[in-house]
Amino acid sequence: MTDWQELASKYLMTTYKRMPVTFVRGQGSRLWDDAGREYLDFFGGHVVVNLGHCHPEVVATLREQAGTLMHYSNVVYTTPQIELARLLVENSCLDRAFFCNSGAEANEAALKLARKWAKEHKDGAYEVICAENAFHGRTLATVTASGTERYKAPFTPLPTGFLHVPFNDVEAIKRATTEATCAVLLEPIQGEGGVVIPDDDYLRRVRAWCDEQNLLLILDEVQTGIGRTGKLFAYQHYSVEPDIITLAKGLGNGFPIGAVLAKERCAVFVPGDHGTTFGGNPLAARVGYTVVKYVIDNDIPAQAAAKGETLGRRLATLHDCYEFVEDVRGKGMLWAVEFGREMAEEVTLACLEEGLVVNNVRPNTLRLSPPLTVSEEELEEGLAKLDKVFAALSYMDA
Ligand SMILES: Cc1ncc(COP(=O)(O)O)c(C=O)c1O
């Protein structure tokens, strides 16, 4: 049998510390490795496959569109892109869409949009207030906007114009605001930061401050969007209307696509300001359309909310049972289990041995993000595996 991991170590750049598994097939909430072993997927390849692997409607769309028109660039009109823009706009508080290929690109475009808007409407203000512990991507601007110093240190000098304040602290945003501030960029719930959920009134108070100071509120919904938290977009939990949101991950259910949605007042790009060869091409846009339409028509966010309650209840039981579990928290189908020590990698590897894929999002924190279409039985099966892993670790601790 081919040793894929050996070949990877020879030919790939070592950007990731990978789990020792090679997946070759996926269906629904399940995956199979190159030896034919089956796994339950409670991670979704970084919170992407909201509708499960190889969802039949997504696969059918891909096949059909691939044989119709795969690519044309943005110097012409293509119908899937316009239809996806309309669907997203009609189901959000935003007015216009720009399509790209990833979350980082979506945030990069949002940052450029904010700077251009401020050049025209705010005396050239350019600073963006971001949150500590945030994650917005790996391009130079988005890694600078992110809150993890370790991700930035090798790449200095970094672009200027980004300030960081503690998440969930409105007063800190107020103190950081100056004449130079043009926008506040936040995740509604910090995903990579360990599923950090702000107070219920946080975004509302940030919105009020942005209104008072004429700042744009940009919400990075790359991870929280497309039903993940129990609403189509996470901002809908908090009775706020952002000026800009960014999307990727669940938008293509595994097919690469990103989007920026903006209010009319700040959709200030004109020809030449920004662009992308592949962004919003017919194949990606048609897949995005199928995904979003399916999510809306089948009320997947409501299903995520209901299943998330079950998941939360079962995790709370594990919290009660195991003294090394310090906290469980989440919304919809995005959950974290925080440990009293740095054991998340050990747990992740033990789960893999049990046939359950989870993610050690932080050294002391596990992230659980099953497909929103996971069945109650699969949810129980995965949680039983997690319980078994915890029990073994607890026995070793004793
Ligand atoms: C909130 C958030 N923003 C941006 C990104 C970057 O997205 P991508 O990896 O598609 O560039 C991520 C990826 O994890 C994310 O979670």
Side-chain angles (χ1 to χ4, degrees):
M1 206 168 92
T2 308
D3 188 340
W4 292 108
Q5 291 167 38
E6 174 64 27
L7 284 181
S9 71
K10 182 159 184 235
Y11 292 114
L12 293 178
M13 289 201 196
T14 51
T15 42
Y16 283 90
K17 189 171 177 192
R18 296 173 196 259
M19 289 190 272
V21 66
T22 306
F23 289 132
V24 295
R25 189 161 75 82
Q27 190 64 59
S29 306
R30 298 193 187 261
L31 290 158
W32 286 266
D33 71 13
D34 57 340
R37 190 162 173 236
E38 186 178 310
Y39 300 78
L40 251 185
D41 189 3
F42 275 23
F43 178 38
H46 271 91
V47 202
V48 166
V49 288
N50 288 5
L51 298 182
H53 294 281
C54 299
H55 188 280
E57 292 202 17
V58 177
V59 172
T61 297
L62 258 170
R63 289 208 166 108
E64 193 195 318
Q65 189 62 43
T68 304
L69 181 65
M70 216 184 286
H71 176 74
Y72 213 82
S73 68
N74 293 299
V75 294
V76 301
Y77 298 97
T78 49
T79 53
Q81 184 181 120
I82 301 163
E83 287 174 322
L84 177 58
R86 178 157 82 176
L87 187 64
L88 289 168
V89 163
E90 288 182 350
N91 287 280
S92 71
C93 67
L94 291 313
D95 301 313
R96 287 182 186 272
F98 169 82
F99 294 107
C100 51
N101 312 286
S102 67
E105 275 177 82
N107 286 327
E108 190 82 29
L111 291 165
K112 286 178 72 177
L113 200 57
R115 281 200 179 184
K116 174 143 197 237
W117 170 81
K119 226 177 236 334
E120 292 176 352
H121 296 95
K122 219 173 175 288
D123 220 11
Y126 65 96
E127 275 182 3
V128 178
I129 299 175
C130 311
E132 291 167 5
N133 201 40
F135 187 77
H136 299 297
R138 300 293 197 152
T139 63
L140 272 178
T142 59
V143 85
T144 308
S146 298
T148 305
E149 291 310 315
R150 179 166 63 82
Y151 294 164
K152 310 182 201 190
F155 307 110
T156 53
L158 298 167
T160 52
F162 297 90
L163 296 180
H164 289 84
V165 299
F167 187 57
N168 197 27
D169 183 344
V170 186
E171 296 308 316
I173 291 177
K174 292 183 181 176
R175 283 194 299 275
T177 303
T178 67
E179 294 281 285
T181 312
C182 70
V184 176
L185 167 62
L186 298 167
E187 294 158 88
I189 292 170
Q190 290 189 327
E192 302 300 307
V195 191
V196 183
I197 301 172
D199 294 341
D200 279 348
D201 65 349
Y202 174 60
L203 287 182
R204 217 161 37 241
R205 294 179 62 209
V206 175
R207 174 74 271 177
W209 178 250
C210 288
D211 288 344
E212 199 179 314
Q213 299 291 313
N214 192 24
L215 308 175
L216 296 182
L217 176 59
I218 308 171
L219 293 183
D220 177 343
E221 295 242 20
V222 166
Q223 186 157 152
T224 54
I226 320 297
R228 174 55 56 186
T229 70
K231 299 271 188 195
L232 186 58
F233 305 110
Y235 77 78
Q236 293 166 332
H237 288 290
Y238 299 108
S239 317
V240 291
E241 293 203 355
D243 299 295
I244 300 174
I245 69 170
T246 54
L247 301 170
K249 293 195 185 279
L251 181 56
N253 204 53
F255 197 87
I257 178 168
V260 182
L261 305 182
K263 291 272 195 197
E264 189 68 49
R265 76 169 180 121
C266 57
V268 291
F269 283 156
V270 297
D273 281 341
H274 195 58
T276 157
T277 299
F278 294 123
N281 83 10
L283 190 56
R286 181 61 78 208
V287 169
Y289 182 87
T290 293
V291 170
V292 177
K293 188 91 173 67
Y294 187 92
V295 165
I296 293 169
D297 288 352
N298 292 280
D299 208 358
I300 297 292
Q303 291 184 35
K307 289 173 198 165
E309 298 252 313
T310 309
L311 184 52
R313 253 195 323 276
R314 292 282 281 108
L315 291 176
T317 311
L318 297 182
H319 185 200
D320 292 342
C321 286
Y322 298 102
E323 52 83 23
F324 51 74
V325 177
E326 283 232 321
D327 187 27
V328 296
R329 55 178 178 267
K331 214 173 185 65
M333 290 287 265
L334 185 61
W335 281 82
V337 178
E338 190 175 315
F339 304 114
R341 56 188 164 86
E342 298 197 347
M343 59 190 281
E345 185 177 359
E346 188 186 356
V347 172
T348 300
L349 293 174
C351 284
L352 198 65
E353 281 288 305
E354 282 301 319
L356 175 69
V357 186
V358 294
N359 170 242
N360 45 317
V361 68
R362 296 255 130 179
N364 68 341
T365 309
L366 213 62
R367 171 173 48 183
L368 303 177
S369 50
L372 311 183
T373 49
V374 71
S375 70
E376 292 283 345
E377 296 72 34
E378 288 167 334
L379 215 45
E380 283 304 324
E381 185 185 331
L383 286 160
K385 287 177 191 289
L386 190 61
D387 193 359
K388 186 171 171 198
V389 165
F390 283 179
L393 288 169
S394 155
Y395 178 72
M396 280 158 60
D397 270 2

